[in-house]
Amino acid sequence: MEISPERHTGDLLSTIGETLRAERNERGLTLKQVAEGAHVSVSYLAEIERGEKDPSSRVLESIARGLDIEVSELLVRIASALEPTPVVPVTNSLAA
C-alpha cells in the first residue's frame, strides 16, 4: 500500500499558487503576459498557480518581476495567507 501526502487547504504550494493568481488577476494580467515577463512557459506558470509545481526561489523572483512586484512583498503576501485565522476565546467575545 502506497501512502501519499494529503493536500490540506493552506498548504504551501497551494498558497503560493493562489497568491500568484490573485496578484495576476488584481493587475489584470494574463498568464501569457506574466510568463513572458518572468521568462517561464505559460504551462509552467499555470501549473504553479494550480499548486502542482514547486517553484524555486529564482523562479519566484522571476514571476515577481513579471507581476511588477518586489519579491519581498510577494513573500509577505504568501506568508500572511499561510497564517491561521486567530481563534478568539469565548470569554473575550461578544457572546460571553
Side-chain angles (χ1 to χ4, degrees), residues 47-81:
E47 289 173 321
I48 293 169
E49 283 192 0
R50 291 192 303 266
E52 297 171 1
K53 293 287 183 182
D54 189 359
S56 69
S57 58
R58 291 194 186 231
V59 169
L60 281 177
E61 285 178 320
S62 294
I63 294 171
R65 274 194 303 277
L67 289 167
D68 194 29
I69 185 174
E70 292 293 325
V71 71
S72 58
E73 179 64 25
L74 179 60
L75 293 173
V76 165
R77 291 179 188 202
I78 292 167
S80 67

Side-chain angles (χ1 to χ4, degrees), residues 11-59:
D11 76 358
L12 183 57
L13 288 183
S14 295
T15 303
I16 289 171
E18 290 165 7
T19 303
L20 291 175
R21 179 174 286 141
E23 292 297 320
R24 180 175 60 77
N25 288 334
E26 278 181 27
R27 288 164 172 69
L29 298 171
T30 64
L31 275 168
K32 184 177 179 185
Q33 289 171 315
V34 175
E36 287 174 354
H39 303 290
V40 298
S41 71
V42 173
S43 60
Y44 183 53
L45 179 59
E47 289 173 321
I48 293 169
E49 283 192 0
R50 291 192 303 266
E52 297 171 1
K53 293 287 183 182
D54 189 359
S56 69
S57 58
R58 291 194 186 231
V59 169

